[in-house]
Amino acid sequence: MDMQQSQESQESIVESLDEDHLQMLVQHAYDTDTVRAMEQPLLEQGEPLMRHAAAAVATNVLQLLESFDLDEHARITVLAGAGDNGGDGLFAGALLAKRGFPVTAIAVGRTLHDDAYRTFIESGGHIWVLDAANTIPGCPSEFSAGEAGERFEQAMEFASNSHIIIDAMTGIGAQGALRGIAGSVAQTLGALLDELRAHDSNDDMQRPYVVAVDTPSGIGVNDGSLPGPYIPADMTLMFGAMKPCAILPPACSACGEIWLVDFGFDLESHDPAGSIVGMDLAAAAIRQVMPTDAKYSRGVTGLITGSQQYPGAAVLSTTAAAHTNIGMVRYMGPTRAQDLVLHALPEAVIGKGHVQSWVVGSGVPVRTAEEEADLQQQSIEALLAHYALSEDGSNEEAYAMPAIVVDAGALDLLPDHVPSHVVLTPHMGELTRLLTRLGVDVDEDTVRNQPLQYARMAAKMTGATVLLKGSLTIVVQGGQFADDQVFVAGRAPAQLATAGAGDVLAGMLGAILAQNADLVQPSVPSGDESDHDDEAQVAQAIAEIAGAAAYLHGLAAALASKAKQRGWHRAHLFGIDDLDEEHFPIGRPIVASDVVKKIAAAIGKLQNN
Ligand SMILES: NC(=O)C1=CN([C@@H]2O[C@H](COP(=O)(O)OP(=O)(O)OC[C@H]3O[C@@H](n4cnc5c(N)ncnc54)[C@H](OP(=O)(O)O)[C@@H]3O)[C@@H](O)[C@H]2O)[C@H](O)CC1
Ligand SMILES: [K+]
């Protein structure tokens, strides 16, 4: 099958699929076991998936070369591993070599995919081996350590001077950090590419343009981590479905633009490992107001936020909650903060009363071991004590409490075990602090490199739902019976990284929980297995609502800053979308209060879409 045939058959796959399938394709990510399970029936039917994959890579590379005005003198390097990922890369290289481009494959392992290697050589490709113990037919081997070193250096020099690097060292078969020669290649080239990238946008191809095959080599495919050296890509062609690394920080940044090559996988029958929160999910979390509604039926949120030191957080969290489609807010805090809240929001009711959700801790300082808890901290601690579960999960009162958002200073006051309708909203530093308090030996850089793993650890240890804030916000489910599906909100523009943005999010989340009070109330576990599904459902609803709040927060910020740029941009569909370069204006600077002013408009946009 040549490139054109493969492309036509690819296009016919795409055409036969409906909108729902395409929507699932760009919204959900599947772990590597699930991807292998989905590809199996197609391989059994004889679908030449590897040829489709290679044709897609070659097609995009040709378009790139054309857009950069590069003729047949363009130098193309394939970094080829020993597995099927290397096979994809070699077949793609063969297609390009057939078109007359000089293509060199650097073999990082001891073998190469047989068929792909043969086709590559027959098409005029060149091979450069690095491993003296290789058994690749017709290639030099058993060379000295000195020669191996020279070969490595020359290969790196060659690769860094090529126009296109096709990274096909590892894909979904990667296990842990890259080791051996692949590790050294990633170390040398990855560092060089990062440095060149820092100085150059590459509009003029002054550095190699890196096209990753299926996944960038060296990243954590299933958890989005960066466990060691990796090859940062400008573009990743991902086959069949998104893998979690496409949506999870920090690895998703190493993917560059993602191009999804649809293989017609049966996505509907498989559970995603992660999902991007889109407009639909966010809209579903906003309760429609009814003609019969009164303020109480729309939901009331109680806030114990702000402090003598940070009274502004009281204003931001309270105004944000009040603007997020509920009936009323109650505020509790120091007199100075009360006055400021009333000044900004005359509608606020000061003092205790019945609520459908709580927000605690935003703008409340963390408590040092030597300090006495101040009044605000004492009230939060007393409230949180009602959510405490003993090790065996008993304490029925905790399940009957309204959902609660535990932010900033209140994270220090969290009981050891709580139900899933306790939602923690830490940033990376606060998550590190929380885990340290729980006895985990970890620093912030490690959390930043493996955010999913540590957010999950906090959820597993405490039982709470965890919303980890960042340019991409990760939500992991709480409770004992929840599945591992993670939700990622990437709607926010970079302009949202500003003081008080977290206080606004906490208020908005509290309000969205209040208007969905019936959906987010876990029932007391009966010990009966049939109830586990119900509890899992509630845990998922809570996580979705938390993701929705992050989405709405990002959308309001985008409206305020007039930014088109986001933390995560939708993957492109190969054969459907154009390769034309898109520009995402970064918008204008904003402060957190600007976000509050745009919440209503953001809700309107969701509801009218
Ligand atoms: N999913 C699909 O529908 C299709 C996938 N295709 C492509 O196939 C790869 C998966 O191929 P697979 O052979 O299973 O695995 P990889 O090629 O990704 O990786 C295996 C090789 O990588 C070496 N490896 C693994 N981990 C490391 C590491 N930490 N450091 C160094 N080297 C590593 C491994 O070496 P071993 O010594 O462990 O054997 C293998 O050599 C998929 O990603 C797609 O690109 C199909 O072509 C299309 C359909
Ligand atoms: K790769």
Side-chain angles (χ1 to χ4, degrees):
M1 188 181 301
D2 71 11
M3 199 153 123
Q4 193 170 354
Q5 281 170 328
S6 181
Q7 202 179 330
E8 278 164 10
S9 125
Q10 165 69 30
E11 277 163 13
S12 71
I13 294 179
V14 168
E15 275 166 24
S16 67
L17 295 165
D18 58 18
E19 277 296 312
D20 287 350
H21 176 86
L22 297 181
Q23 185 56 35
M24 291 188 78
L25 209 55
V26 293
Q27 192 167 5
H28 300 305
Y30 299 83
D31 65 24
T32 51
D33 285 347
T34 309
V35 168
R36 289 195 196 275
M38 292 192 292
E39 83 182 309
Q40 197 51 38
L42 297 173
L43 292 173
E44 279 164 15
Q45 285 164 29
E47 269 302 328
L49 294 183
M50 195 176 256
R51 300 295 187 132
H52 289 321
V57 173
T59 301
N60 271 20
V61 168
L62 282 174
Q63 286 187 29
L64 284 167
L65 292 172
E66 201 182 298
S67 70
F68 287 120
D69 273 338
L70 287 169
D71 56 16
E72 68 280 3
H73 300 298
R75 291 179 300 277
I76 301 172
T77 300
V78 180
L79 305 174
D84 284 0
N85 193 251
D88 292 348
L90 287 173
F91 274 125
L95 291 168
L96 294 163
K98 259 195 192 151
R99 293 283 180 115
F101 292 100
V103 187
T104 299
I106 298 174
V108 299
R110 293 183 176 174
T111 58
L112 287 173
H113 185 281
D114 280 346
D115 194 12
Y117 169 61
R118 217 173 313 112
T119 309
F120 180 71
I121 295 296
E122 283 165 11
S123 308
H126 306 278
I127 291 277
W128 199 323
V129 288
L130 297 182
D131 193 329
N134 81 79
T135 56
I136 303 166
C139 290
S141 62
E142 291 175 21
F143 35 78
S144 67
E147 187 185 339
E150 269 171 41
R151 279 177 167 271
F152 180 83
E153 269 173 38
Q154 285 171 8
M156 293 304 94
E157 173 78 15
F158 181 85
S160 55
N161 283 310
S162 47
H163 294 96
I164 303 272
I165 295 177
I166 297 176
D167 165 21
M169 292 201 293
T170 58
I172 61 173
Q175 298 291 334
L178 285 180
R179 50 188 150 67
I181 293 173
S184 307
V185 168
Q187 183 82 50
T188 307
L189 267 187
L192 183 76
L193 291 167
D194 266 339
E195 193 183 326
L196 291 172
R197 191 174 287 194
H199 297 291
D200 171 34
S201 65
N202 212 20
D203 288 344
D204 46 1
M205 266 251 163
Q206 287 300 305
R207 60 172 173 83
Y209 190 100
V210 180
V211 177
V213 174
D214 207 14
T215 70
S217 305
I219 62 164
V221 179
N222 280 333
D223 67 2
S225 65
L226 296 175
Y230 62 95
I231 306 278
D234 294 289
M235 170 189 290
T236 297
L237 279 119
M238 213 170 254
F239 308 129
M242 287 200 292
K243 323 298 180 302
C245 60
I247 64 170
L248 285 168
C252 61
S253 310
C255 293
E257 259 185 37
I258 293 167
W259 282 79
L260 269 169
V261 184
D262 190 0
F263 285 168
F265 280 172
D266 178 13
L267 303 175
E268 290 75 1
S269 307
H270 292 86
D271 291 330
S275 302
I276 280 284
V277 180
M279 207 166 216
D280 291 353
L281 194 75
I286 301 297
R287 180 182 176 274
Q288 289 279 351
V289 64
M290 313 280 197
T292 48
D293 266 331
K295 64 185 176 197
Y296 294 119
S297 62
R298 296 190 69 186
V300 178
T301 297
L303 299 103
I304 314 182
T305 55
S307 55
Q308 209 55 31
Q309 201 177 343
Y310 306 112
V315 176
L316 290 167
S317 54
T318 311
T319 51
H323 281 87
T324 309
N325 194 44
I326 48 171
M328 197 171 107
V329 293
R330 298 184 188 278
Y331 176 72
M332 279 140 276
T335 321
R336 174 151 178 249
Q338 289 179 14
D339 293 344
L340 289 171
V341 166
L342 279 179
H343 183 77
L345 187 75
E347 300 83 355
V349 174
I350 305 294
K352 274 195 179 155
H354 198 67
V355 300
Q356 278 74 50
S357 75
W358 284 104
V359 177
V360 298
S362 319
V364 175
V366 292
R367 193 165 101 197
T368 54
E370 312 81 59
E371 270 177 291
E372 281 267 304
D374 68 11
L375 267 180
Q376 191 78 330
Q377 289 162 339
Q378 281 173 23
S379 353
I380 293 172
E381 201 163 17
L383 176 61
L384 281 173
H386 293 284
Y387 292 84
L389 294 177
S390 55
E391 284 279 357
D392 62 4
S394 63
N395 181 10
E396 303 199 349
E397 184 201 27
Y399 295 95
M401 294 292 289
I404 185 167
V405 179
V406 181
D407 191 33
L411 290 164
D412 280 15
L413 310 170
L414 183 78
D416 289 348
H417 301 284
V418 293
S420 60
H421 67 325
V422 175
V423 185
L424 315 184
T425 56
H427 53 55
M428 299 281 175
E430 287 163 343
L431 178 62
T432 311
R433 186 182 161 89
L434 173 71
L435 287 167
T436 307
R437 180 165 74 80
L438 297 173
V440 181
D441 181 17
V442 70
D443 59 27
E444 193 173 327
D445 280 345
T446 311
V447 171
R448 218 170 266 289
N449 244 7
Q450 293 154 272
L452 174 63
Q453 183 189 324
Y454 286 102
R456 204 163 255 166
M457 191 182 286
K460 292 259 182 278
M461 290 176 89
T462 61
T465 302
V466 177
L467 177 153
L468 176 58
K469 293 182 280 203
S471 56
L472 268 97
T473 290
I474 297 178
V475 184
V476 299
Q477 303 183 41
Q480 295 174 56
F481 308 108
D483 64 36
D484 281 339
Q485 188 184 359
V486 54
F487 295 91
V488 181
R491 186 65 184 82
Q495 302 283 12
L496 185 55
T498 184
D503 308 329
V504 173
L505 175 63
M508 294 175 74
L509 173 53
I512 302 181
L513 287 166
Q515 63 205 268
N516 289 290
D518 48 338
L519 294 178
V520 301
Q521 199 71 49
S523 47
V524 180
S526 63
D528 186 349
E529 246 177 67
S530 61
D531 287 344
H532 296 182
D533 284 353
D534 290 347
E535 187 173 334
Q537 243 174 32
V538 171
Q540 175 160 344
I542 296 167
E544 287 180 358
I545 282 171
Y551 182 97
L552 187 64
H553 186 232
L555 178 59
L559 296 177
S561 70
K562 300 196 191 310
K564 294 264 188 288
Q565 181 268 340
R566 305 175 180 202
W568 188 85
H569 286 274
R570 183 178 81 75
H572 304 277
L573 290 165
F574 179 81
I576 297 183
D577 294 333
D578 292 330
L579 195 64
D580 294 343
E581 214 176 307
E582 289 167 291
H583 288 282
F584 301 108
I586 57 168
R588 57 191 190 191
I590 49 171
V591 294
S593 333
D594 297 332
V595 179
V596 176
K597 289 181 197 128
K598 288 292 181 186
I599 296 172
I603 291 176
K605 207 169 155 68
L606 285 185
Q607 291 189 321
N608 295 320
N609 210 274

